[in-house]
Amino acid sequence: MCGFAGYLSQNISANEELVMDMVNAVSSRGPDSEGYWLDKENCLAFGHKRLSIIDLSEHGNQPIESNNKKYLLVFNGEIYNHNDLRKELNSEYKFLWKGNSDTETLIECLSLWGIDKTLNKINGMFSFAFWDREKKILRLARDRLGEKPLYFGFINQTFVFGSQLKCFSKFPNWDKRINLESLELYMRYGYVPAPYSIFEDLYKLESGQVALIKKEDFYNVEKYNYWNLEKNVLSFKTKYKNLSKKEHESLLKEMLESSIKKRMISDVPLGAFLSGGLDSSVIVTLMQKESSQPVKTFTMGFKDKNYDETRKAKSLAKFLATEHNEFLFDDQDILSTVNHIGNVWDEPFSDISQIPTLLICQKASKEVKVILSGDGGDELFCGYNRYLKGLDLYNLSKNKYISLFKDFIKNKTNYASKIFKENQKEKIEKLIYSFQAKSLNEYYLKVIEIFNPDDTLLKFKFNNNFSPINKVKNFADISEEERLMYFDILQYLPEDIMTKIDRASMSIGLEARSPFLDHNLAGYSLSIPIENKKIKGFGKKILRDVLGKYLPDAYLDHSKKGFSVPVSQLLSGPLKKWSTALIEKEINSRDSVFNPNRLKMLISEKHFEIRKSQKIWTILMFLTWKESFFENKNFNF
């Protein structure tokens, strides 16, 4: 795992100091070594920071040149099947390997097979920049499911690229102009979805894409998809359409074991998150089965028992005999975290679980350099409530006899907010949304949107219809649950879930790996019939059946609190002074993008609306990001 940056210019020479300034901005992603490479004739510069995981020797350092001297590579991520690829290369070509790193494997695959064949063969999480010295072509690529980030764009007639936006913060004469359309999308989703970034003229490469830049046609960035989720799933559905339920269980178990085994390959200490939920329980159980020694496991909890799952995790860790580490956090831990959270997510980001994610990563990094997580399990195995009871309620609401109950629910929202605990309110609010929707697409948008497009929060309005719904083209022969899962995998998973874990872990040099996101496992899992996943309002049925081969029934319960924090309690308690100061400063700012009366309404203790705390948090995360990124200086719109 690493960080990289670079540029290809028409008017700025290839400069060591400049490119190292760029990559030093993400030094936490790669604290073990650094390097650069310059092509002065073509004004191209590569910079790299390395986190050494496989082959700790200098042979894994970057930038790396191909054996035939024709290509250069900077790379972030892991190629889990690189030893198999080496064997395949050795059967076709004869040359001496310098070391054992997956970086060397990748550059030689690209050199000898080309980018398209290589991308089709590699199994991993990655983003990379690849320079063809003879044809003067720069190619950028991002992994299939968006585990690793890659930004690119133009600053003053120079094409720039890097692992994070902060790579560009010291680039000459960058005006840091905020893209207002992106800001509107951020307020809707709580993150800026690819291909947008928060800044004008800068973009995210989308999952499963390649971007191509020719020196001779400098301003024309060609992009294409090398992997398609729907086609991948269709191929698995065709291949395994006649499998029985038991045969699906057996195949899923085999693919999970294979994925986890690949992700346990490391030359440095390795561990796993253990939350007490089903996804992490599957990962840790199969890790311990594979390991000859106790797996290091990490659990965090809160003193508020409504948000604490340490008891369940501790019980499972004891049963599996892992080397368990448990941490309880309090209000002061959270307060100290919010003061620098804008610097970790160097783009506005407001998933409230970012706080516990960052805290547990900080603790785990003191013991290990690689951590396995259960991310992706909900999206692939029908785990979110929006696929389960929420969807069932939406379908129930279409019954003409339910209209009276719908009116009752709408009229009781304020009352419900007072009698339910905070961790129950979100479910109540989503229930309300379920009954309000007139179509499946509208239901999904109501569930995921924080501020709806008609809100008066911002002084401007673009009416941008950008949505994950537009990314799914083929609805043939898939259930409503599967359609919702597709929506999440194409946008929510890469832009929220993976952004959260990537920035949190890499801010302290910890590599996070997600076995569920092996692209073969992901494609296959989505081909499993929905009735094998969802039964009687509960999801992940087949995962629970697989885990049941290893664990007693007591560890297979349906309940999970979710990885979150009591945000409304925090905003009215330990974070009140901090949050009030930020918002009042914005209300009194002459160049604010927000309508001051709308802000005053939101923070009024007498005012209630659905998702009020989440809306305030989304505003706060924009404000704290703005202060961090601009260091309290003026910024442009």
Side-chain angles (χ1 to χ4, degrees), residues 85-104:
L85 296 176
R86 283 196 174 206
K87 293 176 183 177
E88 192 171 346
L89 281 177
N90 286 338
S91 69
E92 298 180 35
Y93 305 94
K94 302 299 179 184
F95 58 89
L96 293 176
W97 297 96
K98 297 176 183 177
N100 300 306
S101 75
D102 57 345
T103 302
E104 187 183 9

mmCIF file with all atom_site columns, all heavy atoms in Angstrom, residues 85-104:
data_model
loop_
_atom_site.group_PDB
_atom_site.id
_atom_site.type_symbol
_atom_site.label_atom_id
_atom_site.label_alt_id
_atom_site.label_comp_id
_atom_site.label_asym_id
_atom_site.label_entity_id
_atom_site.label_seq_id
_atom_site.pdbx_PDB_ins_code
_atom_site.Cartn_x
_atom_site.Cartn_y
_atom_site.Cartn_z
_atom_site.occupancy
_atom_site.B_iso_or_equiv
_atom_site.pdbx_formal_charge
_atom_site.auth_seq_id
_atom_site.auth_comp_id
_atom_site.auth_asym_id
_atom_site.auth_atom_id
_atom_site.pdbx_PDB_model_num
ATOM 1   N N   . LEU A 1 85  ? 0.804  -15.064 -11.410 1.00 0.00 ? 85  LEU A N   1
ATOM 2   C CA  . LEU A 1 85  ? 1.110  -14.320 -12.636 1.00 0.00 ? 85  LEU A CA  1
ATOM 3   C C   . LEU A 1 85  ? 2.586  -14.468 -13.007 1.00 0.00 ? 85  LEU A C   1
ATOM 4   O O   . LEU A 1 85  ? 2.937  -14.561 -14.190 1.00 0.00 ? 85  LEU A O   1
ATOM 5   C CB  . LEU A 1 85  ? 0.760  -12.844 -12.454 1.00 0.00 ? 85  LEU A CB  1
ATOM 6   C CG  . LEU A 1 85  ? -0.728 -12.532 -12.239 1.00 0.00 ? 85  LEU A CG  1
ATOM 7   C CD1 . LEU A 1 85  ? -0.921 -11.054 -11.964 1.00 0.00 ? 85  LEU A CD1 1
ATOM 8   C CD2 . LEU A 1 85  ? -1.542 -12.963 -13.445 1.00 0.00 ? 85  LEU A CD2 1
ATOM 9   N N   . ARG A 1 86  ? 3.452  -14.523 -12.029 1.00 0.00 ? 86  ARG A N   1
ATOM 10  C CA  . ARG A 1 86  ? 4.885  -14.731 -12.295 1.00 0.00 ? 86  ARG A CA  1
ATOM 11  C C   . ARG A 1 86  ? 5.120  -16.081 -12.973 1.00 0.00 ? 86  ARG A C   1
ATOM 12  O O   . ARG A 1 86  ? 5.908  -16.179 -13.922 1.00 0.00 ? 86  ARG A O   1
ATOM 13  C CB  . ARG A 1 86  ? 5.686  -14.657 -10.994 1.00 0.00 ? 86  ARG A CB  1
ATOM 14  C CG  . ARG A 1 86  ? 5.892  -13.247 -10.498 1.00 0.00 ? 86  ARG A CG  1
ATOM 15  C CD  . ARG A 1 86  ? 6.979  -13.180 -9.456  1.00 0.00 ? 86  ARG A CD  1
ATOM 16  N NE  . ARG A 1 86  ? 7.253  -11.789 -9.115  1.00 0.00 ? 86  ARG A NE  1
ATOM 17  C CZ  . ARG A 1 86  ? 8.405  -11.354 -8.644  1.00 0.00 ? 86  ARG A CZ  1
ATOM 18  N NH1 . ARG A 1 86  ? 9.413  -12.198 -8.472  1.00 0.00 ? 86  ARG A NH1 1
ATOM 19  N NH2 . ARG A 1 86  ? 8.578  -10.075 -8.359  1.00 0.00 ? 86  ARG A NH2 1
ATOM 20  N N   . LYS A 1 87  ? 4.442  -17.094 -12.455 1.00 0.00 ? 87  LYS A N   1
ATOM 21  C CA  . LYS A 1 87  ? 4.598  -18.426 -13.059 1.00 0.00 ? 87  LYS A CA  1
ATOM 22  C C   . LYS A 1 87  ? 4.137  -18.418 -14.512 1.00 0.00 ? 87  LYS A C   1
ATOM 23  O O   . LYS A 1 87  ? 4.771  -19.035 -15.382 1.00 0.00 ? 87  LYS A O   1
ATOM 24  C CB  . LYS A 1 87  ? 3.803  -19.456 -12.256 1.00 0.00 ? 87  LYS A CB  1
ATOM 25  C CG  . LYS A 1 87  ? 4.343  -19.706 -10.850 1.00 0.00 ? 87  LYS A CG  1
ATOM 26  C CD  . LYS A 1 87  ? 3.445  -20.673 -10.091 1.00 0.00 ? 87  LYS A CD  1
ATOM 27  C CE  . LYS A 1 87  ? 3.947  -20.875 -8.660  1.00 0.00 ? 87  LYS A CE  1
ATOM 28  N NZ  . LYS A 1 87  ? 3.040  -21.760 -7.876  1.00 0.00 ? 87  LYS A NZ  1
ATOM 29  N N   . GLU A 1 88  ? 3.055  -17.710 -14.761 1.00 0.00 ? 88  GLU A N   1
ATOM 30  C CA  . GLU A 1 88  ? 2.542  -17.635 -16.125 1.00 0.00 ? 88  GLU A CA  1
ATOM 31  C C   . GLU A 1 88  ? 3.505  -16.880 -17.039 1.00 0.00 ? 88  GLU A C   1
ATOM 32  O O   . GLU A 1 88  ? 3.749  -17.286 -18.180 1.00 0.00 ? 88  GLU A O   1
ATOM 33  C CB  . GLU A 1 88  ? 1.163  -16.963 -16.127 1.00 0.00 ? 88  GLU A CB  1
ATOM 34  C CG  . GLU A 1 88  ? 0.431  -17.093 -17.442 1.00 0.00 ? 88  GLU A CG  1
ATOM 35  C CD  . GLU A 1 88  ? -1.006 -16.625 -17.359 1.00 0.00 ? 88  GLU A CD  1
ATOM 36  O OE1 . GLU A 1 88  ? -1.537 -16.451 -16.235 1.00 0.00 ? 88  GLU A OE1 1
ATOM 37  O OE2 . GLU A 1 88  ? -1.613 -16.409 -18.432 1.00 0.00 ? 88  GLU A OE2 1
ATOM 38  N N   . LEU A 1 89  ? 4.065  -15.795 -16.515 1.00 0.00 ? 89  LEU A N   1
ATOM 39  C CA  . LEU A 1 89  ? 5.053  -15.048 -17.303 1.00 0.00 ? 89  LEU A CA  1
ATOM 40  C C   . LEU A 1 89  ? 6.297  -15.892 -17.569 1.00 0.00 ? 89  LEU A C   1
ATOM 41  O O   . LEU A 1 89  ? 6.852  -15.874 -18.677 1.00 0.00 ? 89  LEU A O   1
ATOM 42  C CB  . LEU A 1 89  ? 5.449  -13.756 -16.582 1.00 0.00 ? 89  LEU A CB  1
ATOM 43  C CG  . LEU A 1 89  ? 4.493  -12.570 -16.676 1.00 0.00 ? 89  LEU A CG  1
ATOM 44  C CD1 . LEU A 1 89  ? 5.018  -11.414 -15.828 1.00 0.00 ? 89  LEU A CD1 1
ATOM 45  C CD2 . LEU A 1 89  ? 4.329  -12.107 -18.116 1.00 0.00 ? 89  LEU A CD2 1
ATOM 46  N N   . ASN A 1 90  ? 6.722  -16.617 -16.548 1.00 0.00 ? 90  ASN A N   1
ATOM 47  C CA  . ASN A 1 90  ? 7.918  -17.449 -16.698 1.00 0.00 ? 90  ASN A CA  1
ATOM 48  C C   . ASN A 1 90  ? 7.734  -18.533 -17.754 1.00 0.00 ? 90  ASN A C   1
ATOM 49  O O   . ASN A 1 90  ? 8.707  -18.974 -18.377 1.00 0.00 ? 90  ASN A O   1
ATOM 50  C CB  . ASN A 1 90  ? 8.269  -18.105 -15.358 1.00 0.00 ? 90  ASN A CB  1
ATOM 51  C CG  . ASN A 1 90  ? 8.871  -17.122 -14.376 1.00 0.00 ? 90  ASN A CG  1
ATOM 52  O OD1 . ASN A 1 90  ? 9.407  -16.084 -14.767 1.00 0.00 ? 90  ASN A OD1 1
ATOM 53  N ND2 . ASN A 1 90  ? 8.770  -17.424 -13.091 1.00 0.00 ? 90  ASN A ND2 1
ATOM 54  N N   . SER A 1 91  ? 6.510  -18.968 -17.952 1.00 0.00 ? 91  SER A N   1
ATOM 55  C CA  . SER A 1 91  ? 6.263  -19.993 -18.970 1.00 0.00 ? 91  SER A CA  1
ATOM 56  C C   . SER A 1 91  ? 6.292  -19.419 -20.385 1.00 0.00 ? 91  SER A C   1
ATOM 57  O O   . SER A 1 91  ? 6.441  -20.161 -21.360 1.00 0.00 ? 91  SER A O   1
ATOM 58  C CB  . SER A 1 91  ? 4.907  -20.666 -18.718 1.00 0.00 ? 91  SER A CB  1
ATOM 59  O OG  . SER A 1 91  ? 3.845  -19.762 -18.969 1.00 0.00 ? 91  SER A OG  1
ATOM 60  N N   . GLU A 1 92  ? 6.137  -18.087 -20.493 1.00 0.00 ? 92  GLU A N   1
ATOM 61  C CA  . GLU A 1 92  ? 6.110  -17.445 -21.803 1.00 0.00 ? 92  GLU A CA  1
ATOM 62  C C   . GLU A 1 92  ? 7.399  -16.707 -22.136 1.00 0.00 ? 92  GLU A C   1
ATOM 63  O O   . GLU A 1 92  ? 7.796  -16.599 -23.299 1.00 0.00 ? 92  GLU A O   1
ATOM 64  C CB  . GLU A 1 92  ? 4.948  -16.440 -21.866 1.00 0.00 ? 92  GLU A CB  1
ATOM 65  C CG  . GLU A 1 92  ? 3.565  -17.058 -21.708 1.00 0.00 ? 92  GLU A CG  1
ATOM 66  C CD  . GLU A 1 92  ? 2.472  -16.004 -21.777 1.00 0.00 ? 92  GLU A CD  1
ATOM 67  O OE1 . GLU A 1 92  ? 2.631  -15.031 -22.546 1.00 0.00 ? 92  GLU A OE1 1
ATOM 68  O OE2 . GLU A 1 92  ? 1.467  -16.134 -21.057 1.00 0.00 ? 92  GLU A OE2 1
ATOM 69  N N   . TYR A 1 93  ? 8.051  -16.154 -21.122 1.00 0.00 ? 93  TYR A N   1
ATOM 70  C CA  . TYR A 1 93  ? 9.228  -15.302 -21.331 1.00 0.00 ? 93  TYR A CA  1
ATOM 71  C C   . TYR A 1 93  ? 10.343 -15.748 -20.391 1.00 0.00 ? 93  TYR A C   1
ATOM 72  O O   . TYR A 1 93  ? 10.106 -16.338 -19.345 1.00 0.00 ? 93  TYR A O   1
ATOM 73  C CB  . TYR A 1 93  ? 8.898  -13.834 -21.072 1.00 0.00 ? 93  TYR A CB  1
ATOM 74  C CG  . TYR A 1 93  ? 7.740  -13.312 -21.879 1.00 0.00 ? 93  TYR A CG  1
ATOM 75  C CD1 . TYR A 1 93  ? 6.441  -13.311 -21.342 1.00 0.00 ? 93  TYR A CD1 1
ATOM 76  C CD2 . TYR A 1 93  ? 7.917  -12.835 -23.170 1.00 0.00 ? 93  TYR A CD2 1
ATOM 77  C CE1 . TYR A 1 93  ? 5.367  -12.829 -22.066 1.00 0.00 ? 93  TYR A CE1 1
ATOM 78  C CE2 . TYR A 1 93  ? 6.854  -12.351 -23.909 1.00 0.00 ? 93  TYR A CE2 1
ATOM 79  C CZ  . TYR A 1 93  ? 5.569  -12.355 -23.362 1.00 0.00 ? 93  TYR A CZ  1
ATOM 80  O OH  . TYR A 1 93  ? 4.517  -11.876 -24.091 1.00 0.00 ? 93  TYR A OH  1
ATOM 81  N N   . LYS A 1 94  ? 11.553 -15.419 -20.766 1.00 0.00 ? 94  LYS A N   1
ATOM 82  C CA  . LYS A 1 94  ? 12.707 -15.784 -19.956 1.00 0.00 ? 94  LYS A CA  1
ATOM 83  C C   . LYS A 1 94  ? 13.460 -14.527 -19.529 1.00 0.00 ? 94  LYS A C   1
ATOM 84  O O   . LYS A 1 94  ? 14.052 -13.831 -20.348 1.00 0.00 ? 94  LYS A O   1
ATOM 85  C CB  . LYS A 1 94  ? 13.652 -16.700 -20.747 1.00 0.00 ? 94  LYS A CB  1
ATOM 86  C CG  . LYS A 1 94  ? 13.001 -17.990 -21.244 1.00 0.00 ? 94  LYS A CG  1
ATOM 87  C CD  . LYS A 1 94  ? 12.491 -18.848 -20.080 1.00 0.00 ? 94  LYS A CD  1
ATOM 88  C CE  . LYS A 1 94  ? 11.831 -20.127 -20.600 1.00 0.00 ? 94  LYS A CE  1
ATOM 89  N NZ  . LYS A 1 94  ? 11.259 -20.925 -19.497 1.00 0.00 ? 94  LYS A NZ  1
ATOM 90  N N   . PHE A 1 95  ? 13.378 -14.205 -18.236 1.00 0.00 ? 95  PHE A N   1
ATOM 91  C CA  . PHE A 1 95  ? 14.197 -13.120 -17.698 1.00 0.00 ? 95  PHE A CA  1
ATOM 92  C C   . PHE A 1 95  ? 14.332 -13.320 -16.193 1.00 0.00 ? 95  PHE A C   1
ATOM 93  O O   . PHE A 1 95  ? 13.562 -14.062 -15.577 1.00 0.00 ? 95  PHE A O   1
ATOM 94  C CB  . PHE A 1 95  ? 13.609 -11.740 -18.014 1.00 0.00 ? 95  PHE A CB  1
ATOM 95  C CG  . PHE A 1 95  ? 12.213 -11.525 -17.514 1.00 0.00 ? 95  PHE A CG  1
ATOM 96  C CD1 . PHE A 1 95  ? 11.975 -11.033 -16.240 1.00 0.00 ? 95  PHE A CD1 1
ATOM 97  C CD2 . PHE A 1 95  ? 11.132 -11.814 -18.320 1.00 0.00 ? 95  PHE A CD2 1
ATOM 98  C CE1 . PHE A 1 95  ? 10.692 -10.837 -15.776 1.00 0.00 ? 95  PHE A CE1 1
ATOM 99  C CE2 . PHE A 1 95  ? 9.833  -11.616 -17.857 1.00 0.00 ? 95  PHE A CE2 1
ATOM 100 C CZ  . PHE A 1 95  ? 9.615  -11.127 -16.595 1.00 0.00 ? 95  PHE A CZ  1
ATOM 101 N N   . LEU A 1 96  ? 15.266 -12.649 -15.586 1.00 0.00 ? 96  LEU A N   1
ATOM 102 C CA  . LEU A 1 96  ? 15.542 -12.803 -14.165 1.00 0.00 ? 96  LEU A CA  1
ATOM 103 C C   . LEU A 1 96  ? 14.766 -11.769 -13.365 1.00 0.00 ? 96  LEU A C   1
ATOM 104 O O   . LEU A 1 96  ? 14.773 -10.582 -13.685 1.00 0.00 ? 96  LEU A O   1
ATOM 105 C CB  . LEU A 1 96  ? 17.049 -12.634 -13.898 1.00 0.00 ? 96  LEU A CB  1
ATOM 106 C CG  . LEU A 1 96  ? 17.955 -13.713 -14.480 1.00 0.00 ? 96  LEU A CG  1
ATOM 107 C CD1 . LEU A 1 96  ? 19.419 -13.343 -14.224 1.00 0.00 ? 96  LEU A CD1 1
ATOM 108 C CD2 . LEU A 1 96  ? 17.638 -15.076 -13.874 1.00 0.00 ? 96  LEU A CD2 1
ATOM 109 N N   . TRP A 1 97  ? 14.081 -12.239 -12.334 1.00 0.00 ? 97  TRP A N   1
ATOM 110 C CA  . TRP A 1 97  ? 13.397 -11.334 -11.415 1.00 0.00 ? 97  TRP A CA  1
ATOM 111 C C   . TRP A 1 97  ? 14.405 -10.762 -10.420 1.00 0.00 ? 97  TRP A C   1
ATOM 112 O O   . TRP A 1 97  ? 15.296 -11.466 -9.929  1.00 0.00 ? 97  TRP A O   1
ATOM 113 C CB  . TRP A 1 97  ? 12.294 -12.070 -10.657 1.00 0.00 ? 97  TRP A CB  1
ATOM 114 C CG  . TRP A 1 97  ? 11.204 -12.606 -11.537 1.00 0.00 ? 97  TRP A CG  1
ATOM 115 C CD1 . TRP A 1 97  ? 11.094 -13.872 -12.049 1.00 0.00 ? 97  TRP A CD1 1
ATOM 116 C CD2 . TRP A 1 97  ? 10.068 -11.882 -12.021 1.00 0.00 ? 97  TRP A CD2 1
ATOM 117 N NE1 . TRP A 1 97  ? 9.973  -13.984 -12.820 1.00 0.00 ? 97  TRP A NE1 1
ATOM 118 C CE2 . TRP A 1 97  ? 9.303  -12.777 -12.825 1.00 0.00 ? 97  TRP A CE2 1
ATOM 119 C CE3 . TRP A 1 97  ? 9.612  -10.572 -11.873 1.00 0.00 ? 97  TRP A CE3 1
ATOM 120 C CZ2 . TRP A 1 97  ? 8.128  -12.409 -13.451 1.00 0.00 ? 97  TRP A CZ2 1
ATOM 121 C CZ3 . TRP A 1 97  ? 8.429  -10.211 -12.493 1.00 0.00 ? 97  TRP A CZ3 1
ATOM 122 C CH2 . TRP A 1 97  ? 7.699  -11.111 -13.277 1.00 0.00 ? 97  TRP A CH2 1
ATOM 123 N N   . LYS A 1 98  ? 14.239 -9.506  -10.084 1.00 0.00 ? 98  LYS A N   1
ATOM 124 C CA  . LYS A 1 98  ? 15.155 -8.858  -9.146  1.00 0.00 ? 98  LYS A CA  1
ATOM 125 C C   . LYS A 1 98  ? 14.734 -9.095  -7.694  1.00 0.00 ? 98  LYS A C   1
ATOM 126 O O   . LYS A 1 98  ? 15.574 -9.130  -6.799  1.00 0.00 ? 98  LYS A O   1
ATOM 127 C CB  . LYS A 1 98  ? 15.207 -7.360  -9.427  1.00 0.00 ? 98  LYS A CB  1
ATOM 128 C CG  . LYS A 1 98  ? 15.748 -7.017  -10.813 1.00 0.00 ? 98  LYS A CG  1
ATOM 129 C CD  . LYS A 1 98  ? 15.673 -5.526  -11.072 1.00 0.00 ? 98  LYS A CD  1
ATOM 130 C CE  . LYS A 1 98  ? 16.154 -5.192  -12.486 1.00 0.00 ? 98  LYS A CE  1
ATOM 131 N NZ  . LYS A 1 98  ? 16.026 -3.742  -12.796 1.00 0.00 ? 98  LYS A NZ  1
ATOM 132 N N   . GLY A 1 99  ? 13.433 -9.220  -7.468  1.00 0.00 ? 99  GLY A N   1
ATOM 133 C CA  . GLY A 1 99  ? 12.936 -9.403  -6.106  1.00 0.00 ? 99  GLY A CA  1
ATOM 134 C C   . GLY A 1 99  ? 11.638 -10.194 -6.114  1.00 0.00 ? 99  GLY A C   1
ATOM 135 O O   . GLY A 1 99  ? 11.336 -10.894 -7.082  1.00 0.00 ? 99  GLY A O   1
ATOM 136 N N   . ASN A 1 100 ? 10.849 -10.049 -5.040  1.00 0.00 ? 100 ASN A N   1
ATOM 137 C CA  . ASN A 1 100 ? 9.621  -10.834 -4.900  1.00 0.00 ? 100 ASN A CA  1
ATOM 138 C C   . ASN A 1 100 ? 8.365  -9.967  -4.761  1.00 0.00 ? 100 ASN A C   1
ATOM 139 O O   . ASN A 1 100 ? 7.311  -10.452 -4.356  1.00 0.00 ? 100 ASN A O   1
ATOM 140 C CB  . ASN A 1 100 ? 9.721  -11.737 -3.662  1.00 0.00 ? 100 ASN A CB  1
ATOM 141 C CG  . ASN A 1 100 ? 10.884 -12.704 -3.754  1.00 0.00 ? 100 ASN A CG  1
ATOM 142 O OD1 . ASN A 1 100 ? 11.004 -13.436 -4.737  1.00 0.00 ? 100 ASN A OD1 1
ATOM 143 N ND2 . ASN A 1 100 ? 11.741 -12.698 -2.737  1.00 0.00 ? 100 ASN A ND2 1
ATOM 144 N N   . SER A 1 101 ? 8.460  -8.696  -5.100  1.00 0.00 ? 101 SER A N   1
ATOM 145 C CA  . SER A 1 101 ? 7.336  -7.797  -4.863  1.00 0.00 ? 101 SER A CA  1
ATOM 146 C C   . SER A 1 101 ? 6.272  -7.899  -5.952  1.00 0.00 ? 101 SER A C   1
ATOM 147 O O   . SER A 1 101 ? 6.572  -8.213  -7.107  1.00 0.00 ? 101 SER A O   1
ATOM 148 C CB  . SER A 1 101 ? 7.820  -6.347  -4.768  1.00 0.00 ? 101 SER A CB  1
ATOM 149 O OG  . SER A 1 101 ? 8.133  -5.844  -6.052  1.00 0.00 ? 101 SER A OG  1
ATOM 150 N N   . ASP A 1 102 ? 5.026  -7.601  -5.562  1.00 0.00 ? 102 ASP A N   1
ATOM 151 C CA  . ASP A 1 102 ? 3.951  -7.568  -6.549  1.00 0.00 ? 102 ASP A CA  1
ATOM 152 C C   . ASP A 1 102 ? 4.092  -6.371  -7.481  1.00 0.00 ? 102 ASP A C   1
ATOM 153 O O   . ASP A 1 102 ? 3.557  -6.375  -8.598  1.00 0.00 ? 102 ASP A O   1
ATOM 154 C CB  . ASP A 1 102 ? 2.580  -7.571  -5.870  1.00 0.00 ? 102 ASP A CB  1
ATOM 155 C CG  . ASP A 1 102 ? 2.380  -6.421  -4.891  1.00 0.00 ? 102 ASP A CG  1
ATOM 156 O OD1 . ASP A 1 102 ? 3.365  -5.783  -4.514  1.00 0.00 ? 102 ASP A OD1 1
ATOM 157 O OD2 . ASP A 1 102 ? 1.216  -6.181  -4.496  1.00 0.00 ? 102 ASP A OD2 1
ATOM 158 N N   . THR A 1 103 ? 4.840  -5.348  -7.063  1.00 0.00 ? 103 THR A N   1
ATOM 159 C CA  . THR A 1 103 ? 5.098  -4.196  -7.928  1.00 0.00 ? 103 THR A CA  1
ATOM 160 C C   . THR A 1 103 ? 5.905  -4.614  -9.153  1.00 0.00 ? 103 THR A C   1
ATOM 161 O O   . THR A 1 103 ? 5.580  -4.228  -10.289 1.00 0.00 ? 103 THR A O   1
ATOM 162 C CB  . THR A 1 103 ? 5.863  -3.099  -7.158  1.00 0.00 ? 103 THR A CB  1
ATOM 163 O OG1 . THR A 1 103 ? 5.109  -2.712  -6.015  1.00 0.00 ? 103 THR A OG1 1
ATOM 164 C CG2 . THR A 1 103 ? 6.125  -1.893  -8.034  1.00 0.00 ? 103 THR A CG2 1
ATOM 165 N N   . GLU A 1 104 ? 6.951  -5.406  -8.931  1.00 0.00 ? 104 GLU A N   1
ATOM 166 C CA  . GLU A 1 104 ? 7.764  -5.883  -10.052 1.00 0.00 ? 104 GLU A CA  1
ATOM 167 C C   . GLU A 1 104 ? 6.936  -6.793  -10.957 1.00 0.00 ? 104 GLU A C   1
ATOM 168 O O   . GLU A 1 104 ? 7.046  -6.726  -12.196 1.00 0.00 ? 104 GLU A O   1
ATOM 169 C CB  . GLU A 1 104 ? 9.000  -6.629  -9.537  1.00 0.00 ? 104 GLU A CB  1
ATOM 170 C CG  . GLU A 1 104 ? 9.966  -7.009  -10.651 1.00 0.00 ? 104 GLU A CG  1
ATOM 171 C CD  . GLU A 1 104 ? 11.162 -7.803  -10.162 1.00 0.00 ? 104 GLU A CD  1
ATOM 172 O OE1 . GLU A 1 104 ? 11.176 -8.221  -8.975  1.00 0.00 ? 104 GLU A OE1 1
ATOM 173 O OE2 . GLU A 1 104 ? 12.084 -8.040  -10.978 1.00 0.00 ? 104 GLU A OE2 1
#
